[in-house]
């Protein structure tokens, strides 16, 4: 029976059917729906949200240690947070299979950058899978857990926004049982003391030939021959679809369809030898384009994002690929002038709005002050009518940037961070500030959820005052408010007082997210 | 109220249908374009057709412009995204949002849109000018979905009213869509199913 699933959901179902025991994740577009699906349908599977991507990754390694299969899901920038654990677990290797799902967001639909997670796979020297459609997403998750176990290493599954959030029908396979508890058979596998780490790393290096062999024999890497050798095309992941969209009757040029990395060397050499020029289609950075340039020394022309055949920035689509192939395109059509931009905005009645209105009113009294903000709905405070913030860098940076700026002489130095972002990566920075009694004012705008990604549980709900006090913020400078219009004057007063206090203050305007409230009322 | 619907572009045989329709669904985050997609998706899946439906999640859902590319066919579909001038239909819950995707509409494609403006930006254009711009495109259906939804019994059925207005252009028999509505709302009880079926058929009646 066929079921209609987002690629994110297909990955979840594939992993569930592939004998999964646990998913660990922190919400992040476009990866969130993977874990949400398992929370909905997975029985007896661990699926509660982790506090951040690093804790998620490490929890998965623990699950692997006892022989069970786990999946870790995050958006591309989450890989940066989890990178310490990720790089080192490639060295330890796995006992139970681990699938690391990295969901990239080229074109930055909902992100600060468009980094390409395949580099992390290459950096860690592990195999990477990249599906072109929803069925492959299912199959790769299903098989990826077993592949990881077979190779004794974590395997990465890389997707991009367009696939993550696109539905199609998939066919399920025979569900496998979960693994039984089983300790590692390799002696001291997970102890990365230098002497042992050297052994484990040597083993990882020695395994590279095996991973190439695995790619060479992978059903996801296909050499599709054709008569016209003027051009050879390497099509990675979803870009294969954009290519074929332009050739519904079949592509006239040979194609090397890539779904598993490292690249299969024999197939790449065959394409380079047989074709006069090469076009590389890949979402994200020109990773394969650069690599393939290294494969050839005879001046073969390699086209792609580096030589301007394709856009260097942003995702691909059927039209951009058509242009790269020299086919007819319709780029001359334009949107009527009457159509205006409609950027996202904070919901009407949202507590962040009341918080920003009070903060803006107070900051008018301090023309030299700056407000450092963070990642979440409240980042929309950058846009009119608020224009309330001066920065948005990465998860947690509002507190640490405010500290650095205060160290440099800024006053007032204010931080605005959400509750979920605070527990994700803000707490450690707050400890830095407490230890030096830095003169900063931290506003934790608490809507008791992870709102931007759709209202997932927030790790710190009900614990924020205790966390701040535990880190050493003086209790009299932890101020809780209810962000409502009627409390405008009180909010202004409290913000002013805490700015004037020479030390670390935390203000917590707390009111539940309207979206989660609406959902609760419906139930 | 509505410009008169023209002749349906597809003919159906009872047994096996030949079809290939590309639809752009558009609106403003929170309006609920995805439930329209879900009905069509069910209809396609029930009848063993190929389908791809890309959605927008994340930041834009907070009151920004949102769209979904929906492709249904009797043969395999490659791209999740519809190429420029590749859409047979723009189905929009908001009139200005219908215009945003014009570069994707085929010359002879249809615009089926709600005429009700959703104003959440300070520079929202003059409502009449938007309507005039839509009327420049020969194949259009403008419909006051809110009035008809109220008539059907609930404002919340606006999506189904709009879908009903688009029935001639979907390339799918009406029965497929009705079954899709039944499947989607089945868990909510017979009354909700009937309410939505009424909304679906209100433009016809």
């Amino acid at each position: 029976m066929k079921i209609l699933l987002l690629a994110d959901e297909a990955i979840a179902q594939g992993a569930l059917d592939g004998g999964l025991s646990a998913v660990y994740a922190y919400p992040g577009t476009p990866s969130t729906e993977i874990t949400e699906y398992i929370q909905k349908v997975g029985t007896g599977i661990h699926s509660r949200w982790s506090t951040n991507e690093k804790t998620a990754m490490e929890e998965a390694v623990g699950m692997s240690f006892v022989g069970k299969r786990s999946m870790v899901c995050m958006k591309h920038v989450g890989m940066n947070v989890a990178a310490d654990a990720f790089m080192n677990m490639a060295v330890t290797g796995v006992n139970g299979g681990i699938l690391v799902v990295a969901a990239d967001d080229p074109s930055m639909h909902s992100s600060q950058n468009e980094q390409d997670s395949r580099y992390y796979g290459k950096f860690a020297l592990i195999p990477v899978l990249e599906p072109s459609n929803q069925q492959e997403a299912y199959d790769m998750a299903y098989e990826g857990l077993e592949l990881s176990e077979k190779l004794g290493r974590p395997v990465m599954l890389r997707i991009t926004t367009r696939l993550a959030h696109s539905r199609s029908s998939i066919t399920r396979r025979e569900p496998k049982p979960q693994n039984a508890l089983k300790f590692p058979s390799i002696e001291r596998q997970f102890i990365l003391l230098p002497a042992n780490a050297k052994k484990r790393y040597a083993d990882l290096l020695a395994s590279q030939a095996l991973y190439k062999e695995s790619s060479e024999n992978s059903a996801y890497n296909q050499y599709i021959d054709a008569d016209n050798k003027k051009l050879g095309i390497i099509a990675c992941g979803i870009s294969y679809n954009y290519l074929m969209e332009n050739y519904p009757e079949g592509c006239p040029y040979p194609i090397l369809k890539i779904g598993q990395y490292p690249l299969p060397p024999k197939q790449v050499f065959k394409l380079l030898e047989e074709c006069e020029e090469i076009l590389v289609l890949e979402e994200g950075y020109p990773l394969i384009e650069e690599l393939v340039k290294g494969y050839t020394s005879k001046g073969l022309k390699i086209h792609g994002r580096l030589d301007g055949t394709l856009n260097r920035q942003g995702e691909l689509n059927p039209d951009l690929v058509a242009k790269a192939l020299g086919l007819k395109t319709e780029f001359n059509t334009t949107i009527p002038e009457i159509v205006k931009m409609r950027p996202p905005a904070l919901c009407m009645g949202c507590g962040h709005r009341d918080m920003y209105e009070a903060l803006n009113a107070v900051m008018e009294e301090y023309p030299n002050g700056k407000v450092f903000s963070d990642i979440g709905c409240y980042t929309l405070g950058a846009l009119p009518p608020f224009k309330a913030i001066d920065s948005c860098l990465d998860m947690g940076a509002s507190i640490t940037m405010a500290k650095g700026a205060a160290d440099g002489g800024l006053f007032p130095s204010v931080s605005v961070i959400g509750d979920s972002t605070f527990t994700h990566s803000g707490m450690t920075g707050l400890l830095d500030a407490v230890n030096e009694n830095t003169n900063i004012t931290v506003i934790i705008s608490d809507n008791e959820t992870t709102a931007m990604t759709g209202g997932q549980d927030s790790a710190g709900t009900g614990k924020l005052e205790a966390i701040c006090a535990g880190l050493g913020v003086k209790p009299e400078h932890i101020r809780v408010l209810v962000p409502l219009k009627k409390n405008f004057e009180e909010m202004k007063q409290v913000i002013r007082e805490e700015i004037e206090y020479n030390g670390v203050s935390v203000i917590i305007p707390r009111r539940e997210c309207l979206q989660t409230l609406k959902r609760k009322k419906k139930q | 109220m509505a410009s008169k619907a023209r002749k349906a572009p597809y003919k159906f045989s009872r047994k096996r249908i030949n079809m290939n329709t590309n639809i752009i669904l558009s609106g403003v985050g929170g309006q609920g374009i995805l439930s329209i997609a879900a009905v069509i998706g069910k209809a396609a899946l029930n009848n063993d057709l190929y389908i791809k439906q890309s959605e927008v999640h994340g930041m834009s859902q907070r009151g920004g412009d949102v769209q979904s590319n929906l492709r249904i066919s009797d043969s395999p579909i490659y791209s999740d995204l519809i190429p420029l001038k590749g859409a047979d239909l723009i189905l929009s819950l908001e009139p200005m949002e219908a215009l945003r995707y014009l570069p994707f509409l085929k010359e002879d494609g249809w615009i089926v849109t709600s005429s009700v403006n959703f104003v959440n930006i300070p520079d929202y254009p003059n409502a009449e000018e938007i309507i005039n711009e839509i009327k420049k495109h020969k194949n259009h259906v403008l419909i006051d979905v809110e009035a008809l939804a109220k008539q059907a019994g609930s404002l919340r059925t606006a999506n189904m009213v709009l879908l009903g207005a688009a029935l001639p252009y979907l390339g799918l028999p009406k029965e497929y869509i009705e079954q899709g509505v039944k499947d989607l709302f089945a868990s909510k009880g017979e009354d909700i199913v009937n309410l939505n079926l009424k909304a679906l058929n209100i433009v016809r009646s």
Side-chain angles (χ1 to χ4, degrees), chain A residues 2-4 6 29 33 109-110 132-134 162-163 165-169 238 240-242 244-245 247-248 315-319 330-336 338-347 376-377 379-380 451-455 515 522, chain B residues 22 27-28 34 37-38 41-42 45 48-65 67 71 77-85 94 96-97 99-104 118-121 123-126 129-130 133 156:
Chain A
K2 285 190 178 273
I3 44 174
L4 193 59
L6 292 172
T29 312
E33 294 81 1
H109 297 280
S110 221
S132 69
N133 59 40
Q134 291 76 359
R162 289 300 175 185
L163 187 62
H165 289 165
S166 178
R167 270 172 222 282
S168 194
S169 57
I238 197 172
Y240 174 76
N241 299 348
Y242 301 144
M244 296 312 291
E245 182 71 22
Y247 295 115
E315 62 186 345
L316 300 177
N317 61 42
D319 301 296
E330 303 283 356
F331 284 106
N332 51 354
T333 52
T334 52
I335 300 171
I338 191 171
V339 177
K340 297 287 182 279
M341 298 268 285
R342 199 191 297 260
L346 290 170
C347 303
C377 283
T379 318
L380 294 170
M452 178 105 273
T453 45
Q515 300 289 338
K522 260 191 198 170
Chain B
N22 292 325
V28 181
L34 293 182
K42 287 226 182 275
L45 196 67
D48 225 14
L49 292 162
Y50 293 92
I51 178 164
K52 280 203 173 175
Q53 182 213 326
S54 92
E55 307 174 357
V56 174
H57 295 208
M59 202 171 233
S60 314
Q61 285 178 303
R62 297 282 166 271
D65 54 275
Q67 51 81 22
R71 316 188 73 185
I77 303 160
Y78 284 107
S79 173
D80 299 78
L81 297 175
I82 297 168
L84 291 165
K85 286 201 179 173
E94 209 281 344
M96 184 180 82
E97 293 308 321
L99 292 169
R100 195 182 301 280
Y101 304 97
L102 267 189
F104 290 92
F118 190 106
V119 183
N120 66 345
I121 47 171
D123 57 346
Y124 192 91
N126 178 287
E129 283 174 33
I130 293 175
E133 191 70 42
R156 287 168 70 176

Side-chain angles (χ1 to χ4, degrees), chain A residues 99-166:
Chain A
L99 192 64
V100 177
V101 184
D104 293 355
D105 189 20
S107 284
M108 301 179 231
H109 297 280
S110 221
S111 305
Q112 321 97 286
N113 76 26
E114 56 175 35
Q115 65 184 58
D116 186 333
S117 295
R118 295 177 302 167
Y119 280 88
Y120 267 117
K122 187 169 153 46
F123 195 16
L125 300 166
I126 61 166
V128 177
L129 302 170
E130 186 182 14
S132 69
N133 59 40
Q134 291 76 359
Q135 184 66 53
E136 281 186 1
Y138 174 89
D139 291 335
M140 285 177 176
Y142 183 89
E143 293 166 17
L145 289 166
E146 191 155 298
L147 180 69
S148 164
E149 237 163 71
K150 198 178 108 201
L151 299 175
R153 299 287 165 190
V155 168
M156 175 183 274
L157 177 58
R158 185 250 188 172
I159 52 170
T160 52
T161 305
R162 289 300 175 185
L163 187 62
H165 289 165
S166 178

Side-chain angles (χ1 to χ4, degrees), chain A residues 11 108 188 267 283 302 305 313 335 366 386 403-404 425 437 469 497:
Chain A
I11 288 168
M108 301 179 231
R188 296 193 294 172
Q267 292 173 58
E283 280 293 26
I302 312 281
R305 290 183 185 264
Q313 182 179 345
I335 300 171
Y366 299 95
F386 303 107
K403 182 189 180 293
S425 289
N437 199 31
E497 279 170 23

